[in-house]
Amino acid sequence: MSSSGTMDHKCQNCGAVLKFNPHGQNWVCEYCKSEFNKDEIDAYEASRGIEKLTNETEAVKLEKDLDGMDIYSCPNCGAQIVADENTSATFCVYCKSTAILKNKLVGKFNPTEVIPFYKTREDAIEAFKKLGKGKPLMPREFSNNKNIEEMRGVYIPFWLYDYSVNGNIVADAKRINSWTSGGYRYTKTDTYRVDRSGSLNFYKVPVDGSTHFDNSIMNSIEPFDYSGLVEFSPSYLSGFLAEKYDVDSNAAGVEALTRTQNSTTDVLRNDIIGYSSVVVTNTNHNVNLNKSEYVLLPVWLLNIKYEGKLYTFAMNGQTGKLIGNIPIDKKKAILYWILGFAIIMVILTIIWFI
């Protein structure tokens, strides 16, 4: 094995591994407390003779374990790091250093841009704890600090698509008028065929590029503010996990196209006003793909297992939007019901004997 398969980012003052700081949007050394901006990081990496990933043309040949997992060497302590084929940044279990897996970020797997984390792990944990406040029937597993400490920041691979659309819809629209005359109630229904056409442009329609993550969860933490996209650098991965895509642009584009067509229909449908009811009967959209790009977007993830089911909580690492459902502890619910019933019976008994 060769440590050339991994990389990290060192403090130029003490040599310890740096981590990206979301609040300061800079890199911090946890040992000597030095802080560095992006220009300082780039200049130091250049002085160490570290090539940019985009200049690497050959993937590092790796050893594999018996389960087919890739084996790397930690650049900090030399311990073995085991990762699956889709992991592009992970941690050494011994020294806790970030290991950025270079061969997973080159060629077609080299992202063009990234939105750095703006929310810290502490922000994510605090938001999760707030989610559980005021819920006495929450299972203990969801307030257990050991479980909550498993909150992990992950850069999720996304495809972003730009489309231009010439759309047309046909709808049946009705106007219904009712009135009373001579003791009778009259209803008049007028039916119209309504056409709407328009040209629309869609920018950065997102689709999750990993099969490891539930698309409905990723969709629920949208939107991201794409003005926060910056040119990709592996230094942003320091201190976080990262995945590379296993759904290519063509496959992910199917979902993006469907979302674009549905949005076009919705926009044109919302332009049909003044009717009692509107039913779209036909759509025809000519969609042109102008651009697609591969990016990494920040997400805080927490998985908690309860009664054999895995509950996933996800927070947008840029905006702080948190989604996830906390189940009800059935045993607690029964206990609260019995307690409530007992209290009511005591009150009724006191009232009866007064």
Side-chain angles (χ1 to χ4, degrees), residues 300-316:
W300 286 102
L301 288 171
L302 176 64
N303 291 311
I304 296 179
K305 195 170 186 178
Y306 174 66
E307 292 189 342
K309 182 179 179 181
L310 198 63
Y311 291 83
T312 297
F313 299 85
M315 190 177 89
N316 186 312

Side-chain angles (χ1 to χ4, degrees), residues 140-151:
R140 285 194 299 264
E141 286 83 349
F142 293 81
S143 58
N144 187 322
N145 284 331
K146 184 178 179 181
N147 290 336
I148 298 174
E149 288 297 316
E150 293 300 314
M151 183 78 71

Side-chain angles (χ1 to χ4, degrees), residues 128-348:
F128 175 76
K129 288 182 177 180
K130 285 183 179 179
L131 189 66
K133 283 186 177 180
K135 296 182 178 179
L137 300 183
M138 179 177 69
R140 285 194 299 264
E141 286 83 349
F142 293 81
S143 58
N144 187 322
N145 284 331
K146 184 178 179 181
N147 290 336
I148 298 174
E149 288 297 316
E150 293 300 314
M151 183 78 71
R152 293 290 181 265
V154 185
Y155 279 104
I156 308 295
F158 270 80
W159 291 99
L160 303 181
Y161 301 86
D162 292 352
Y163 292 105
S164 57
V165 184
N166 291 316
N168 172 263
I169 67 170
V170 178
D172 289 336
K174 294 181 179 181
R175 285 200 182 105
I176 301 175
N177 295 302
S178 299
W179 67 93
T180 302
S181 177
Y184 293 93
R185 179 75 176 175
Y186 297 92
T187 299
K188 178 185 178 184
T189 301
D190 295 317
T191 302
Y192 303 86
R193 170 187 160 126
V194 181
D195 291 74
R196 288 292 186 272
S197 299
S199 297
L200 299 92
N201 292 311
F202 293 85
Y203 299 99
K204 301 189 184 309
V205 179
V207 177
D208 170 17
S210 172
T211 57
H212 288 180
F213 304 99
D214 189 324
N215 285 350
S216 63
I217 293 177
M218 293 300 106
N219 293 342
S220 297
I221 62 172
E222 294 177 15
F224 288 87
D225 179 2
Y226 295 115
S227 66
L229 282 167
V230 297
E231 181 182 359
F232 175 74
S233 167
S235 55
Y236 288 109
L237 307 187
S238 297
F240 301 95
L241 303 173
E243 293 273 315
K244 71 177 182 65
Y245 72 81
D246 59 359
V247 180
D248 65 23
S249 179
N250 291 332
V254 174
E255 181 180 343
L257 181 61
T258 299
R259 294 180 69 174
T260 299
Q261 291 173 327
N262 290 341
S263 295
T264 300
T265 298
D266 291 341
V267 170
L268 297 177
R269 162 63 183 85
N270 291 337
D271 191 59
I272 303 175
I273 58 176
Y275 298 93
S276 303
S277 66
V278 176
V279 177
V280 176
T281 59
N282 187 46
T283 63
N284 182 28
H285 303 322
N286 181 21
V287 183
N288 292 313
L289 174 63
N290 298 323
K291 180 183 178 183
S292 66
E293 61 177 327
Y294 172 46
V295 303
L296 297 180
L297 302 181
V299 179
W300 286 102
L301 288 171
L302 176 64
N303 291 311
I304 296 179
K305 195 170 186 178
Y306 174 66
E307 292 189 342
K309 182 179 179 181
L310 198 63
Y311 291 83
T312 297
F313 299 85
M315 190 177 89
N316 186 312
Q318 180 193 38
T319 67
K321 182 180 180 181
L322 175 69
I323 63 101
N325 295 315
I326 296 177
I328 292 175
D329 187 325
K330 295 177 182 178
K331 292 181 181 179
K332 279 187 178 181
I334 293 173
L335 181 62
Y336 271 75
W337 183 88
I338 293 173
L339 182 61
F341 180 77
I343 292 173
I344 292 173
M345 292 303 297
V346 169
I347 293 173
L348 290 176

